[in-house]
Amino acid sequence: MTDARDIARREVLVRGAWVITQGPLGTIADAAVHLRGGAIVEVGDWTALRAAHPELDVVGDGTGIVAPGFVNTHTHLSEALATGMGSELTLFEWGERIVGPLGAVLTQEDAAEGTALRAVELLLSGVTTVNDMFVHCNPGSHASVGVVDGIERSGLRAVVSFGAEDVADPALPPWAGVDEVLAEQFALERAAAEASARQVQAAVEAAATGAPDAGAPDAGAPDAAGTGLVSFRYGVGTLLGQSDALLAAGVAATREHGWAVHTHLAETREELVVASQRWRERTIDHADTIGLLDGPLIAGHAVWATDRDVQLLAERGTAVAHNPVANMILGSGVCPVPVLRRAGVLVGVATDGAASNDSQDMLQAVKMAALLQKVHHIDPSVIDASTVLRMATIDGARALGLDHLVGSLEPGKRADVVLYQDTVDVSVLHDPEGQLVYGASPRSVAAVFVDGRMLVSDHRCVSVDEAAQIERCRPLVRRIARASALAAEGWSRA
Ligand SMILES: [Zn+2]
């Protein structure tokens, strides 16, 4: 079985009719990106780069678009095997009827195999970094830890978190206490650190053997020596889903360990009503009251953020992950993206979970991020393609504190690069940014590099065998449908 860990980093030139850098060079015509040792060493004019490196392999025939990999700032790989159910439910109904029962039966195997399955969809829609929150209520399973295995196999760059919730439906198995929840947080943090350490060690060993292009920490990338691909954030599924004791313990843990946080805030109107009943304040205010906004935090949605909330998020440096497709499927509302951006809040683009979107197609999320604002404001100029691309790349990287590594094509950054080429979708390039946002589909994703490893080649995922992974997941899909009773209740016909 092929695996990202068997794929060597390559030294290549990635060539496009256009290179969208998201860096100081802007978008440049007839250009290329030089990748070596997992890093970007040069970006510039194709003719000059080719003359300087006539011996190098070239990926791209000069007709396509080269761009930084997308940073998907919010998803739930816990929903990897559960797409296509309950799309006519509201968020609260969907959580109670679908996600709760599903989360009670998820295992580490489901997490690992589901993650590898969805990694194919992520990579083939141009994603190179994913910020995951694994949500489950299967105490003692440490199911979230399985994500790390799937991520390592796929070769994606990832931030992993466990979206803990201990105020669950009484029908679901209860957590023994705050300590049991925190134990899984520590287990996931350890698994992420160990994965990163293995990745760094493999790079060092490959360099020691003198293997060509092995991925030695490159002189152009001073951070690379200490950087693996998997990092950890502390997850708070939702504020309402946690007991006050767990919320307090979480804030204390993030302070003690310096953990950044991944949560949801102000996703639906119901959330604000229930929060006001419980705490006499809305969720963003309550997050601030308990100190959750004191450190780095990225929150999914902020659909119902008021002007005052927006000001508070800006003051606290809280970042937002915008999930247009999920917001539309659940009928949650429209995120005030222009208001947030004007106030200085970093807004990334995201798919949200595989079940609340029913897909992990990031190109669709990027297009919808533009279209939703245009139709909501009845103004096509309210947001443009360049802004949406910026949100989906460098702003998302900033929102996750990873912009020193990824988010733009600049010498010294890691080689997370996507080539869009060969299809009708990207054949007419009057405006490369506009064509990428409104025209490109997963069909046009010809090559994807993460940390210099080519994980998609000739439009095919090579780190995860798509057909084989689908077969591995089929029995798991049937098992969770039965074990969760989603089949008996008619939600699943798997
Ligand atoms: Zn979410």
Side-chain angles (χ1 to χ4, degrees):
M1 193 173 67
T2 319
D3 187 305
R5 290 166 289 200
D6 304 325
I7 299 172
R9 291 184 172 94
R10 293 181 60 186
E11 179 169 10
V12 291
L13 299 176
V14 186
R15 181 188 181 195
W18 294 96
V19 174
I20 300 172
T21 71
Q22 301 291 8
L25 293 175
T27 296
I28 44 180
D30 195 17
V33 184
H34 179 189
L35 316 185
R36 187 177 67 216
I40 295 168
V41 287
E42 289 167 279
V43 183
D45 178 71
W46 156 252
T47 309
L49 274 173
R50 188 52 167 164
H53 304 284
E55 77 291 357
L56 289 184
D57 288 344
V58 179
V59 174
D61 61 11
T63 64
I65 300 170
V66 178
F70 289 129
V71 178
N72 182 355
T73 45
H74 179 75
T75 191
H76 306 286
L77 290 165
S78 42
E79 300 168 6
L81 305 176
T83 51
M85 290 184 281
S87 296
E88 279 64 60
L89 301 177
T90 67
L91 177 73
F92 276 25
E93 292 169 334
W94 176 79
E96 188 179 311
R97 299 194 205 165
I98 309 284
V99 178
L102 170 78
V105 302
L106 287 176
T107 64
Q108 286 193 14
E109 183 188 17
D110 298 327
E113 300 302 337
T115 296
L117 181 75
R118 292 295 159 186
V120 177
E121 203 173 21
L122 290 162
L123 286 164
L124 286 173
S125 60
V127 172
T128 52
T129 299
V130 62
N131 182 38
D132 183 52
M133 177 198 286
F134 197 94
V135 179
H136 74 88
C137 46
N138 188 3
S141 67
H142 285 198
S144 65
V145 174
V147 170
V148 176
D149 179 40
I151 287 292
E152 269 192 289
R153 283 159 50 188
S154 74
L156 277 164
R157 191 181 300 278
V159 183
V160 296
S161 61
F162 164 43
E165 299 202 323
D166 63 338
V167 180
D169 187 321
L172 300 175
W175 293 83
V178 166
D179 287 348
E180 188 181 34
V181 178
L182 291 180
E184 181 158 344
Q185 301 281 7
F186 283 110
L188 182 59
E189 186 212 22
R190 197 163 48 246
E194 287 170 359
S196 266
R198 278 193 295 276
Q199 289 164 336
V200 171
Q201 185 60 26
V204 170
E205 284 171 10
T209 63
D213 319 327
D218 192 274
D223 289 331
T227 306
L229 302 183
V230 191
S231 56
F232 168 82
R233 278 189 172 228
Y234 182 83
V236 177
T238 59
L239 268 68
L240 283 173
Q242 292 206 346
S243 62
D244 290 342
L246 180 55
L247 285 169
V251 171
T254 58
R255 286 188 181 145
E256 183 182 348
H257 302 285
W259 290 334
V261 178
H262 183 189
T263 190
H264 298 85
L265 285 173
E267 179 172 0
T268 63
R269 202 162 43 175
E270 296 96 308
E271 172 193 324
L272 306 184
V273 172
V274 178
S276 295
Q277 289 170 336
R278 178 169 159 188
W279 296 304
R280 300 195 177 282
E281 59 185 351
R282 293 146 55 106
T283 33
I284 291 177
D285 284 329
H286 193 64
D288 194 45
T289 299
I290 63 175
L292 200 58
L293 304 186
D294 291 352
L297 182 144
I298 187 165
H301 305 296
V303 166
W304 291 88
T306 62
D307 288 352
R308 198 167 58 83
D309 291 335
V310 170
Q311 208 49 49
L312 181 62
L313 295 176
E315 284 167 15
R316 296 288 183 267
T318 302
V320 168
H322 173 43
N323 307 273
V325 177
N327 293 160
M328 286 193 274
I329 284 189
L330 292 161
S332 300
V334 180
C335 176
V337 171
V339 178
L340 287 161
R341 284 178 49 82
R342 269 198 303 275
V345 176
L346 277 170
V347 183
V349 178
T351 55
D352 208 349
S356 61
N357 175 314
D358 295 325
S359 158
Q360 293 289 279
D361 180 347
M362 183 69 173
L363 280 161
Q364 202 177 58
V366 167
K367 180 170 180 172
M368 292 303 149
L371 299 195
L372 181 55
Q373 295 302 321
K374 287 164 181 273
V375 72
H376 179 65
H377 292 274
I378 316 181
D379 177 2
S381 69
V382 72
I383 195 163
D384 62 17
S386 298
T387 302
V388 173
L389 275 186
R390 171 159 282 273
M391 289 163 60
T393 55
I394 187 65
D395 284 359
R398 282 199 189 105
L400 293 173
L402 295 174
D403 53 303
H404 59 299
L405 296 173
V406 298
S408 61
L409 304 181
E410 296 179 65
K413 287 205 180 183
R414 305 307 295 166
D416 290 13
V417 184
V418 180
L419 169 69
Y420 303 84
Q421 189 186 277
D422 304 326
T423 58
V424 176
D425 323 3
V426 290
S427 60
V428 179
L429 296 179
H430 296 294
D431 172 355
E433 285 98 353
Q435 195 62 35
L436 183 49
V437 169
Y438 301 117
S441 76
R443 289 183 66 240
S444 51
V445 175
V448 177
F449 293 84
V450 177
D451 220 52
R453 290 189 180 84
M454 190 152 73
L455 305 182
V456 170
S457 172
D458 196 17
H459 301 271
R460 198 172 56 82
C461 184
V462 291
S463 58
V464 178
D465 180 327
E466 184 171 357
Q469 193 57 32
I470 291 169
E471 282 310 311
R472 287 163 75 96
C473 287
R474 279 191 211 284
L476 304 181
V477 171
R478 283 192 289 269
R479 187 194 70 77
I480 61 167
R482 278 155 188 69
S484 63
L486 288 170
E489 289 175 12
W491 294 110
S492 168
R493 289 183 280 177

